[in-house]
Every structure is written in structure tokens, then in C-alpha cells.
Amino acid sequence: MPQELLRLLSQEPLVKRWFIDELKYLKGKVNNPEGYPDAVVMAGQQEILVHKLVVASACPVLTKHWDPLWSASSKPIAIDESLGCEACSVHPSHGTAVLFLEYFYTGSVTWASGHAELGAALELLVMACMYDVQHLVCVAKMALQKLVENCCGVLTVADHHQAGQLRELCLHFIKQGHWMIKNCEEYRLLGEELQAEIESDI
């Protein structure tokens, strides 16, 4: 960006707010080389082009990597090197990093397959927690909760029809998300025996 514009944005909050909105909604789609991006995020050895102002307005934690924010150039941020939860072995992929960054532009999450999938939802939850984007944490938790609730219905069918492998897969999945659904109607409908089996290993 021109240095004169950077100085104006740093000194005038209203101009800064207007400019952020322009970047978001006129030509500022994430990873758009024609949208005048001024920063690069690396994920899965691939570049994602972003605007510092848009990201900084929603994610102060990530902004710390760009210091000063108004610098005309900056080194790429390799988020896949700084992110990941060793405790649960979840490491966000390039696709999930794009979802995460797109959220700062659109305020919503557009899942690649049209609906949330377990892996992507878990990765997004890790990213949102580690970068302290609380609303996105809620979005990821709601997606995971719905997935686990649906799995309760599948477990009921698998248990009734003695589909052993599917039953074990559902049990493992529900145990991982037990903290989210233990009070929901779908979990209560499993019955006492299945609930006891799930809770025995928690």
C-alpha cells in the first residue's frame, strides 16, 4: 500500500473502519491477488493472501506477528508451524486455514462440502481457540455438537441391527464429544445401557 495511505489509516479511526469494509466487501476476498493483499500466511506449504487490516480487526493475536502493522512489507506467517494441539493430535490443514481467514471477511463459515465434517470442525475449533476468536469457537462447537448428536441416532440403529464396526465407531465418536451432548435429547434417547457403556471410559 502507498505510505501516505498507511499513515492516514494509522491516524484516522473512521477512515480505517471504512477502508476495512471496502477491503471486505468490494475487492477484498481472502486469497485474491487482485484485491491488493499486503500479507501472506503459509499453511500446508501453500500461500494464503490476506489484508492485515481485515485480519487485525478480528484477530489481535495474529496481528502481533505484523509489527508494526503499518509496515509496507512483512515476512509470511507460517501458521502451521505455530499451531496444533499435541494433546489431541489436531493440526489445522491448508483448507481449514482458508476457512479460518475467510471468516474475518464474511463473518460466516462456508464448509467445503456444504456441511460441517468432523476433521474440519475440530481443526477450526483448535485454530479459533489458539487465536482467541471467541465467536468462531462457538461456531465450531455448534458444528461439532450437531455432528455428535446425529451420531447418536446412527448408534441406535447400529446397536439394534448388530453392526459391530459401525457401533464401535459411533461409540468412540460420542465419547470424544460427550461433554457437548450429555444433556441433549438425542443422548437421552440412547437409553441407560448405552449411556453407561459410553460413560464407563470417560
Side-chain angles (χ1 to χ4, degrees):
M1 291 186 191
Q3 289 302 306
E4 295 80 4
L5 177 58
L6 290 172
R7 280 195 293 271
L8 180 62
L9 293 172
S10 66
Q11 296 167 6
E12 298 292 341
L14 291 179
V15 175
K16 176 183 173 183
R17 181 70 264 167
W18 168 82
F19 192 72
I20 289 172
D21 290 340
E22 290 293 295
L23 289 174
K24 285 183 181 180
Y25 302 114
L26 293 183
K27 52 180 174 284
K29 292 296 183 182
V30 65
N31 216 23
N32 178 9
E34 297 181 358
Y36 309 109
D38 60 351
V40 176
V41 173
M42 297 293 295
Q45 304 301 314
Q46 298 181 61
E47 291 186 352
I48 305 172
L49 306 177
V50 298
H51 303 87
K52 294 179 189 177
L53 284 173
V54 175
V55 175
S57 67
C59 185
V61 175
L62 190 54
T63 308
K64 294 177 181 178
H65 291 276
W66 295 311
D67 187 18
L69 180 61
W70 310 107
S71 173
S73 62
S74 58
K75 294 181 179 179
I77 299 173
I79 61 174
D80 49 353
E81 293 179 2
S82 60
L83 274 183
C85 179
E86 298 299 335
C88 57
S89 300
V90 174
H91 294 272
S93 63
H94 174 265
T96 304
V98 172
L99 277 181
F100 175 74
L101 293 166
E102 277 182 342
Y103 177 80
F104 301 143
Y105 289 81
T106 65
S108 61
V109 175
T110 303
W111 303 100
S113 60
H115 57 84
E117 295 181 348
L118 177 61
L122 283 172
E123 290 176 7
L124 190 61
L125 178 61
V126 169
M127 292 193 75
C129 287
M130 297 190 76
Y131 279 127
D132 195 27
V133 183
Q134 290 304 310
H135 186 262
L136 193 52
V137 170
C138 294
V139 171
K141 282 184 176 179
M142 288 175 64
L144 287 167
Q145 180 173 337
K146 190 63 178 177
L147 285 168
V148 181
E149 287 175 0
N150 292 341
C151 196
C152 288
V154 177
L155 174 59
T156 300
V157 175
D159 184 63
H160 181 73
H161 292 282
Q162 299 180 344
Q165 288 185 326
L166 180 58
R167 183 181 186 277
E168 290 303 312
L169 179 63
C170 290
L171 283 172
H172 176 74
F173 188 26
I174 293 169
K175 288 175 183 178
Q176 302 305 309
H178 179 262
W179 58 277
M180 291 186 291
I181 65 159
K182 59 184 179 182
N183 295 319
C184 77
E185 182 65 19
E186 288 81 356
Y187 185 72
R188 287 195 290 270
L189 290 175
L190 286 177
E192 293 182 359
E193 289 187 9
L194 281 175
Q195 288 178 21
E197 185 173 355
I198 292 168
E199 295 169 8
S200 64
D201 294 331
I202 296 176

